[in-house]
Amino acid sequence: MALEDQDHFNALIVDNAAVWINSLDVEGRITFWNRAAERISGYSREEVLGHAMIWEWLYPDPYYREAVFARARQMMQQGEGLQGFETTIRTRSGDERTLEWHSEQLFDANGRLLGASSVAHDITARRRLEAAHDRQHRLQRLIAEISAELINITADRIDTVVEESLARLGMFFALGRAYVFRFDVRAGQMSLVSEWCADDVQAYRDHLQAIPLETHSWVTSQVLAGKVVHIPDVDQLPPEAKAEQAEFRREHIRSLLLIPLISDQKAFGMVGYDAVEQPYRWTEEQITALRLVADMIAGTLARKQVEQELARQARIDGLTGLANRRELDDLLERECAARRERSLSLLMIDIDHFKPYNDAFGHQAGDDCLRAVADAIRSVLNRPSDLGARYGGEEFACVLADTDPEGGLQVAERIREAVSALELKHPESAEPHVTISIGICSVHTRWPIEPRALIRQADEALYHAKRAGRNRVEAQTLRR
């Protein structure tokens, strides 16, 4: 093969090499640009040969471009070659590619510096794979930390730690929102109970309460069936999800992921993640990891519900469903210790001639009577601050916060009338049916008072009601 043919053959090899090859002069102007450089960058050799504009195109950020140039100048001035030097370029189409450069200086036969030659390997896929592995590792580590916190949490901190966990996951994925919905399947409703929002992203917790499940049936039916709902692009939802699509657009949601909260093989809510600024597609590995988080949150919330129910039962009278003596004493203690100007009324209630009733009809009927009287009391106490309790045996009590003597007397009369209206037959009473007697003690003060003093005078008023013939209300005022 002739020398010129060999040179031409070598040039073809370089031009058609699978790796990026280019050369430049001492002024940074491109003097050679092979086909791989054209393919990777998107710029043809006709566009780049003879000038240095390509570097502004490949590195549009001036600060980043200067950092790359500084390293190149170092190579030129100190005779150093670049080995494994990585940069990120912006291609003509706007994509970012990561290149690994290997560069050497070029000299003529007399040792005069001509410029440099560079070979670049496109390592974008490798770096993205490494970044994905690193991201998955960091996600797994984050989930392990969340798991440790949820396992060791006390009931009073569950809501706080759940919201902190949502915040950490939302920030990890650079999302707009992360939240928890709870379902009330019997009522056919769902409510937003926990929510984290990124800065400048609107919160909806106050607005998304008691939402009918059927208004978002495309989503809720899948979640109730235990399925994960992954929506990479809200605009691509099917026609049957029209209602959901409108709501998602109203909340500026681009993508979302909904994972069921399951306890006893039933979905009782869902954890949601919203991408707001730009779409996001979760990988299968990420979804699997987030399902573990949902399972942990579900277990934590289920445990909280059980503990709350146990705490409630510990303060509830098992027969009547009213508060028990412990709850009554605790509330009365708090109300009496308050340092503010207030009125407080305590009602002590006793079923008249209950023992003869119990003897005549038996203990089961006696229990039914106690439950009926408790229901009558409950029907009258309609303020959240009012408390009805079983004091012991056939005796009940009511604590009426912010209630003066007149108000206490009105409530007591309504309770007495409600019990009479039951018309529970009582053969051993002066009345043909079951009746009650009520003693009231009211106080108006701005200082703490002694609960026992309030109880003592209410008991005294009850004693007077019984001595006066029963089926009546007597009231006293505690003087301060």
Side-chain angles (χ1 to χ4, degrees):
M1 182 181 291
L3 182 61
E4 61 181 31
D5 292 335
Q6 183 66 50
D7 289 343
H8 178 67
F9 182 71
N10 292 342
L12 287 175
I13 293 175
V14 173
D15 193 33
N16 291 280
V19 295
W20 172 316
I21 301 175
N22 73 268
S23 62
L24 60 157
D25 62 19
V26 292
E27 300 298 328
R29 295 183 292 255
I30 297 297
T31 56
F32 179 76
W33 193 256
N34 79 341
R35 295 182 186 277
E38 288 183 313
R39 174 176 50 80
I40 296 171
S41 70
Y43 295 101
S44 67
R45 65 189 66 187
E46 290 78 16
E47 294 176 288
V48 303
L49 288 176
H51 59 78
M53 287 298 296
I54 183 61
W55 307 118
E56 294 185 18
W57 301 340
L58 296 179
Y59 305 110
D61 183 337
Y63 298 102
Y64 184 64
R65 183 169 66 248
E66 179 55 35
V68 172
F69 283 2
R71 187 72 181 94
R73 282 194 296 269
Q74 184 182 36
M75 181 196 73
M76 292 290 195
Q77 295 168 2
Q78 299 180 8
E80 296 182 2
L82 291 178
Q83 300 298 324
F85 179 52
E86 292 184 19
T87 69
T88 300
I89 66 167
R90 179 78 58 80
T91 67
R92 184 175 202 141
S93 63
D95 296 332
E96 290 188 346
R97 312 293 298 181
T98 301
L99 303 182
E100 183 181 76
W101 297 91
H102 302 267
S103 300
E104 295 290 344
Q105 292 177 317
L106 296 174
F107 298 90
D108 63 12
N110 299 318
R112 183 171 61 89
L113 180 65
L114 299 177
S117 65
S118 299
V119 175
H121 297 272
D122 186 353
I123 60 171
T124 305
R126 188 176 81 197
R127 286 290 179 259
R128 286 177 180 172
L129 183 60
E130 291 172 351
H133 283 310
D134 177 68
R135 187 176 178 82
Q136 187 67 16
H137 176 71
R138 289 187 290 111
L139 176 59
Q140 290 171 347
R141 186 172 57 193
L142 172 59
I143 290 173
E145 293 172 358
I146 291 173
S147 175
E149 292 176 356
L150 290 174
I151 288 173
N152 299 317
I153 194 174
T154 56
D156 60 310
R157 295 197 65 246
I158 286 177
D159 292 339
T160 299
V161 173
V162 167
E163 291 198 1
E164 289 174 352
S165 300
L166 293 174
R168 295 176 70 181
L169 290 165
M171 287 186 284
F172 179 88
F173 288 106
L175 301 176
R177 299 184 195 89
Y179 46 86
V180 172
F181 269 93
R182 290 292 296 267
F183 297 157
D184 183 345
V185 178
R186 289 185 178 179
Q189 298 175 341
M190 63 179 177
S191 295
L192 185 60
V193 296
S194 297
E195 182 183 31
W196 167 84
C197 293
D199 294 340
D200 301 323
V201 174
Q202 183 177 348
Y204 285 95
R205 184 169 182 173
D206 293 338
H207 306 285
L208 298 179
Q209 299 296 316
I211 306 299
L213 292 172
E214 64 180 14
T215 61
H216 301 292
S217 59
W218 185 83
V219 162
T220 56
S221 62
Q222 295 183 71
V223 174
L224 286 169
K227 298 179 181 179
V228 172
V229 179
H230 182 202
I231 305 174
D233 186 352
V234 165
D235 291 336
Q236 300 301 315
L237 281 171
E240 55 267 29
K242 183 178 180 180
E244 284 85 351
Q245 187 179 64
E247 178 63 22
F248 297 154
R249 286 173 172 169
R250 184 180 72 86
E251 298 177 25
H252 306 290
I253 298 172
R254 306 287 300 279
S255 308
L256 73 158
L257 178 67
L258 303 173
I259 302 177
L261 293 172
I262 298 176
S263 178
D264 294 332
Q265 299 182 338
K266 294 181 180 179
F268 66 91
M270 61 186 176
V271 181
Y273 304 94
D274 294 350
V276 175
E277 291 187 359
Q278 57 186 6
Y280 189 92
R281 179 182 292 274
W282 284 265
T283 66
E284 288 299 321
E285 291 81 5
Q286 290 171 344
I287 293 174
T288 298
L290 291 174
R291 290 194 72 160
L292 291 176
V293 174
D295 289 342
M296 289 184 287
I297 290 176
T300 301
L301 294 178
R303 176 163 59 87
K304 176 186 176 183
Q305 187 170 353
V306 169
E307 291 177 356
Q308 287 178 332
E309 179 60 22
L310 290 174
R312 187 191 71 82
Q313 291 179 6
R315 294 177 173 274
I316 295 295
D317 176 63
L319 177 65
T320 65
L322 293 177
N324 60 17
R325 177 67 179 271
R326 174 185 174 185
E327 179 69 2
L328 172 71
D329 290 343
D330 287 350
L331 178 64
L332 202 55
E333 189 75 34
R334 292 195 301 270
E335 288 292 339
C336 289
R339 292 180 176 272
R340 58 181 174 83
E341 187 167 352
R342 68 206 184 282
S343 294
L344 178 65
S345 292
L346 173 65
L347 280 57
M348 298 299 293
I349 306 168
D350 189 75
I351 300 176
D352 297 327
H353 302 296
F354 182 72
K355 186 177 185 305
Y357 181 93
N358 212 34
D359 292 342
F361 295 108
H363 292 296
Q364 183 60 54
D367 288 348
D368 292 341
C369 176
L370 290 170
R371 280 191 285 264
V373 170
D375 288 342
I377 293 172
R378 191 181 292 110
S379 70
V380 174
L381 303 181
N382 49 28
R383 297 186 308 174
S385 59
D386 295 339
L387 178 76
R390 187 180 179 193
Y391 194 70
E394 70 272 22
E395 200 166 3
F396 299 86
C398 297
V399 180
L400 309 178
D402 299 315
T403 303
D404 58 19
E406 182 179 354
L409 188 61
Q410 291 176 356
V411 171
E413 282 293 349
R414 290 206 301 272
I415 292 174
R416 188 190 65 80
E417 291 172 359
V419 172
S420 291
L422 296 173
E423 295 186 347
L424 298 175
K425 183 179 178 182
H426 195 326
E428 303 296 330
S429 174
E431 299 289 341
H433 55 266
V434 171
T435 61
I436 58 174
S437 298
I438 304 177
I440 307 172
C441 181
S442 299
V443 62
H444 182 84
T445 182
R446 66 177 61 188
W447 306 108
I449 56 178
E450 178 59 48
R452 285 177 295 181
L454 200 64
I455 294 172
R456 185 169 54 251
Q457 286 206 227
D459 262 336
E460 186 176 325
L462 175 59
Y463 174 76
H464 288 309
K466 287 185 171 294
R467 286 288 300 272
R470 293 183 170 82
N471 191 24
R472 66 185 64 240
V473 177
E474 293 288 340
Q476 292 190 11
T477 301
L478 182 64
R479 302 296 179 186
R480 295 295 298 163

